[in-house]
Amino acid sequence: GFTDVLFGKQTYERDGLKFENAIESFYRYRVTPHVILQPDVQILLNPGGNGRDAFVIGLRFEMVL
């Protein structure tokens, strides 16, 4: 997935914020009929409009009882 946020003119003039982008990729892997693992990778460009770029890794675990 991809998101693109452009801050409005008032926000730019007041706070100097221009944009924020995020790129995300994940894969859902069924280990067994009742267990799912979902690794996730995100790249955040200019988070909050004025932050340093960030790289995030996560893992979601699901179990159906």
Side-chain angles (χ1 to χ4, degrees), residues 52-63:
R52 292 179 35 199
D53 295 348
F55 183 75
V56 181
I57 298 174
L59 178 65
R60 182 178 190 171
F61 173 79
E62 294 180 35
M63 181 183 290

Side-chain angles (χ1 to χ4, degrees), residues 17-38:
L17 306 179
K18 294 181 181 180
F19 71 93
E20 173 183 306
N21 294 332
I23 302 167
E24 179 178 12
S25 180
F26 69 88
Y27 182 77
R28 192 169 181 169
Y29 176 68
R30 186 173 296 273
V31 179
T32 69
H34 303 288
V35 176
I36 296 169
L37 291 177
Q38 182 174 317

